[in-house]
Amino acid sequence: SGTFAQIEESLFRNMSACGLEFSSATGTISRTSITNSTASGAEGIRFIAGGGGVVTNCLVGKITGSGVRAASDAGNAVICHSLLYSCGTGLVVQSASAVTNFNNTITLCGVGLSGSQAATWNTIIWSNTTATNAGPATVSYSDVELPLYGIYAGSSNMNRDPWFTDLAEVDCRLQNVSPCLAGGFGGADMGASFPVGSTPMWPSNLTLSASTNRIVLSWADNSSDEERFEIQRSLGGTLW
């Protein structure tokens, strides 16, 4: 409260209340993971009482309340290049709060975006129960899932499958066929900029083949900043 905070490459998990709150303070949260709230309504990041700042390249997920919320008395906030998934509401902007929301991916939430003051562009809002409410926000150059073939009001928006790599594994990198590649403002890609969060992007597409005297495991390496992979085995499924 009342000062500037710089939070980088940090991990916040299993919160019973808010993961990070900025009250009468500003700060930057970058390359940080905030996941797995344990209490109903707990929030990931909250800006209140004049608090504001920048959230960039973060992973915010499995939050029962709002992934990120700017309260009605919050200061200016910028949310960018981040992945918000499996939250009650991905991003909430209340009343007079001024929030800039660009190059984010918001998916698997009850509500993707709530609030009329979030200027939004280059953002993917897809596979949420409800894409937006309490708006509409100012949206452009974004992919917003609406019923049937509706297009969200604004410049150069679309309603097309973004072709995530593997949504079941929350791997929201875009495949080569995605219409969101180069679909944003100025020819930029839409959605989060990977890797996000404090840990390397997890591998995917694990396969196993067995022969008489060996087992071969193969997977797709989705990150460039890990040192090694560790493989564990168990004979009984309990001790590894």
Side-chain angles (χ1 to χ4, degrees):
S1 177
T3 187
F4 180 85
Q6 181 81 31
I7 302 170
E8 296 180 329
E9 297 182 348
S10 298
L11 174 63
F12 299 85
R13 286 176 56 88
N14 302 327
M15 301 85 61
S16 59
C18 185
L20 291 169
E21 180 181 278
F22 288 79
S23 175
S24 303
T26 59
T28 298
I29 310 167
S30 61
R31 303 183 304 280
T32 289
S33 297
I34 303 172
T35 61
N36 296 82
S37 61
T38 60
S40 177
E43 296 177 313
I45 301 170
R46 180 165 62 216
F47 297 102
I48 63 172
V54 177
V55 178
T56 182
N57 292 98
C58 287
L59 176 69
V60 182
K62 296 185 178 179
I63 302 295
T64 55
S66 307
V68 180
R69 179 169 70 92
S72 59
D73 57 353
N76 295 338
V78 176
I79 320 298
C80 58
H81 303 293
S82 297
L83 172 60
L84 284 62
Y85 76 96
S86 297
C87 302
T89 301
L91 173 61
V92 176
V93 182
Q94 295 178 312
S95 189
S97 298
V99 171
T100 303
N101 165 38
F102 68 93
N103 279 104
N104 296 305
T105 297
I106 305 175
T107 187
L108 301 175
C109 298
V111 175
L113 172 63
S114 177
S116 61
Q117 302 298 316
T120 298
W121 68 90
N122 292 6
T123 289
I124 300 173
I125 305 174
W126 198 265
S127 288
N128 302 285
T129 303
T130 301
T132 66
N133 71 9
T138 302
V139 178
S140 61
Y141 293 91
S142 294
D143 189 10
V144 183
E145 183 180 26
L146 295 178
L148 300 176
Y149 302 102
I151 303 296
Y152 202 90
S155 176
S156 301
N157 292 321
M158 65 173 71
N159 180 6
R160 298 178 62 187
D161 189 334
W163 285 86
F164 295 137
T165 296
D166 188 348
L167 185 57
E169 296 293 331
V170 201
D171 183 353
C172 294
R173 293 172 302 141
L174 301 176
Q175 298 186 52
N176 290 336
V177 296
S178 174
C180 298
L181 292 172
F185 180 75
D189 295 342
M190 296 180 185
S193 301
F194 294 93
V196 294
S198 60
T199 55
M201 190 70 181
W202 51 87
S204 60
N205 300 328
L206 176 66
T207 62
L208 179 150
S209 61
S211 60
T212 302
N213 57 2
R214 68 174 183 169
I215 295 175
V216 177
L217 298 175
S218 300
W219 59 85
D221 183 358
N222 297 325
S223 61
S224 60
D225 54 348
E226 83 282 349
E227 294 182 354
R228 65 184 183 276
F229 290 98
E230 180 178 296
I231 299 173
Q232 299 182 355
R233 68 174 184 171
S234 171
L235 297 178
T238 54
L239 298 177
W240 295 84

